[in-house]
């Protein structure tokens, strides 16, 4: 087998040599023909010196061609030798495999043979590829000297140009900017969203929203410890429409409410509810009692004009109740301005802020409250009272008398009906509370006969009609009793006994009234006797 392969190699080598000689012979024939053609040309067409030069060039050319052909033939022979050497190595490897098969087992033989075969094939391929590569380079070099001699030269890395480097740097910089910008935007978005659920840290003291404060200042005060200024400004800009106006006051920051919840409280005015001290103005009080009560409160800011206002209240009433020239409804509701505040202050309980509220402000609140009540209720009065009560102020005068006569709401409208019946008939009211007020606004009784006979503007035993002013602060129920009196024919009433809660006896005639008066006096005597026995 080895002999046959050697013979085949020799045959191929001889064939290659024959082919080389044939190429050389054909080339020489072509050159000879060209030289003969040149000799046939007319002698006069080319100078002799030029002909010799051409012939010299041709000879040099023939020599170069012959030299190139000889080199090519030598390279072919060298390639064939390399192939022969590779084949010999392959045969040696095959022989080694066969020897190993004889001494080893079948499995190891197969692996050895396979390895040997792979090695032989690789050697053969390497030899073939190397020779083909070199042949191709030589042919390319012969054809065009500008073509590189090795294909590996085409794959050689080129040095990067400066423009390419700059472009790569800019690309990297752009990517970094995009990544950083994306991170900043995402971080800002998450912070904006978290502000909607941000629980403001608890404050030990109420947060006071003062005059001139804006949504931006409040948000900065409450959240600046955990959020940067740009985020807070952007949040305010996005949410300003939800909080168009925030109200002054003190608000609780308890550490539980979120920022939007606190701002909603400020929008709605849900100020912290602090238990404030109160000033009670009780029905039946006179203005002198009110003045003393205000002066006794040391936590109120005392106004130096308080006493002068009580002495002459007309200007104070005008300034308090008339807020614009086009709206005087509150002033009209109490019958205009008056020299005294008696009967014009609504009995109620008024809150005040210690060390901040001024006494005169509380008086203004009570006056406004009474005027507002009269404006709402006087318009719905029983029209029958207009025969004797010509103004809202006269309603307040009669209501103050009803207030002092009875503390029982159930009989106040009957008492109002009795007084209206007497006024219609021109009968004097003959009511003790007015006489007592004429003696002194603070007079407590009992009245003496001399006091009942002494004429004063408030003595309804000596004068017909109403007194010039109210005699006390009437309650809402007393005013409503006058505005809607009971339909009765009674002209008299007297207490049933010494206890005011027992009420009154009402009579239509003087005879019935005298009997009622006798019964009252008897009840009083019995009461006094019981008191003496107990002592």
């Amino acid at each position: 087998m080895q002999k046959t392969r050697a013979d085949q190699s020799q045959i191929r080598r001889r064939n290659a040599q024959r082919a080389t000689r044939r190429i050389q012979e054909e080339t020489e024939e072509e050159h000879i023909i060209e030289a003969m053609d040149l000799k046939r040309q007319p002698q006069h067409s080319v100078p002799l010196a030029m002909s010799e030069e051409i012939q010299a060039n041709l000879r040099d050319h023939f020599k170069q061609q012959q030299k190139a052909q000889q080199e090519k033939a030598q390279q072919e022979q060298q390639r064939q030798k390399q192939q022969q050497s590779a084949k010999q190595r392959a045969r040696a490897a095959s022989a080694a495999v066969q020897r190993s098969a004889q001494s080893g087992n079948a499995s190891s033989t197969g692996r050895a043979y396979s390895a040997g075969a792979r090695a032989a094939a690789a050697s053969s391929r390497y030899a073939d590829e190397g020779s083909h590569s070199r042949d191709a380079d030589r042919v390319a070099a012969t054809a065009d000297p500008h073509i590189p001699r090795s294909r590996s030269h085409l794959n050689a890395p080129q040095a990067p140009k400066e423009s390419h480097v700059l472009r790569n740097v800019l690309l990297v910089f752009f990517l970094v900017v995009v990544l950083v910008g994306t991170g900043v935007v995402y971080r800002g978005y998450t912070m904006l969203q978290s502000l909607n659920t941000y629980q403001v840290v608890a404050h030990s003291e109420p947060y006071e929203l003062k005059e001139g404060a804006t949504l931006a200042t409040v948000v900065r005060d409450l959240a600046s410890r955990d959020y940067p200024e740009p985020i807070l400004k952007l949040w305010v800009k996005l949410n300003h429409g939800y909080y168009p106006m925030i109200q002054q006051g003190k608000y609780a920051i308890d550490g539980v409410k979120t920022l939007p919840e606190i701002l909603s409280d400020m929008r709605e005015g849900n100020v912290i509810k602090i238990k404030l001290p109160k000033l009670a103005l009780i029905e039946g009080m006179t203005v002198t009692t009110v003045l003393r009560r205000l002066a006794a409160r040391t936590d109120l800011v005392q106004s130096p004009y308080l006493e002068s206002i009580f002495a002459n209240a007309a200007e104070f009433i005008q300034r308090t109740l008339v807020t614009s020239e086009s709206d005087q409804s509150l002033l009209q509701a109490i019958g205009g301005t008056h020299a005294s505040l008696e009967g014009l202050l609504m009995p109620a309980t008024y809150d005040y802020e210690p060390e901040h509220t001024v006494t005169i402000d509380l008086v203004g609140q009570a006056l406004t409250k009474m005027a507002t009540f009269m404006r709402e209720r006087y318009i719905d009065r029983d029209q029958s009272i207009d025969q004797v009560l010509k103004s809202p102020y006269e309603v307040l005068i009669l209501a103050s008398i009803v207030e002092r006569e009875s503390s029982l709401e159930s009989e106040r409208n009957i008492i109002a009906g009795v007084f209206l019946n007497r006024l219609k008939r021109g009968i004097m009211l003959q009511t003790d509370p007015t006489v007592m007020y004429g003696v002194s606004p603070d007079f407590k009784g009992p009245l003496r006969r001399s006091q009942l006979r002494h004429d004063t503007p408030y003595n309804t035993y000596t004068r017909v009609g109403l007194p010039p002013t109210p005699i006390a602060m009437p309650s809402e129920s007393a005013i409503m009793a006058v505005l809607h009196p009971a339909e009765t024919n009674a002209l008299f009433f007297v207490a049933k006994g010494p206890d005011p809660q027992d009420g009154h006896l009402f009579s239509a005639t003087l005879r019935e009234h005298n009997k009622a008066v006798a019964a009252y006096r008897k009840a009083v005597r019995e009461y006094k006797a019981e008191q003496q026995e107990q002592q």
Side-chain angles (χ1 to χ4, degrees), residues 523-535:
V524 171
R525 289 193 300 268
E526 292 176 352
Y527 174 76
K528 290 181 178 180
E530 291 178 359
Q531 293 294 321
Q532 291 177 356
E533 290 178 359
Q534 292 177 0
Q535 293 178 357

Side-chain angles (χ1 to χ4, degrees), residues 380-437:
D380 295 328
R381 68 191 180 280
D382 189 335
Q383 299 296 322
S384 63
I385 69 173
D386 291 346
Q387 298 178 20
V388 290
L389 303 177
K390 303 301 183 182
S391 69
Y393 189 64
E394 291 187 350
V395 170
L396 292 175
I397 294 174
L398 184 56
S400 69
I401 298 173
V402 172
E403 184 69 49
R404 292 295 303 274
E405 281 287 0
S406 177
S407 60
L408 299 179
E409 292 188 15
S410 59
E411 63 179 15
R412 281 181 171 176
N413 61 335
I414 302 175
I415 293 174
V418 171
F419 285 137
L420 288 171
N421 288 339
R422 294 174 74 92
L423 290 171
K424 288 176 184 178
R425 297 187 182 189
I427 303 173
M428 291 184 292
L429 296 181
Q430 294 182 332
T431 174
D432 292 352
T434 60
V435 179
M436 296 169 65
Y437 187 86

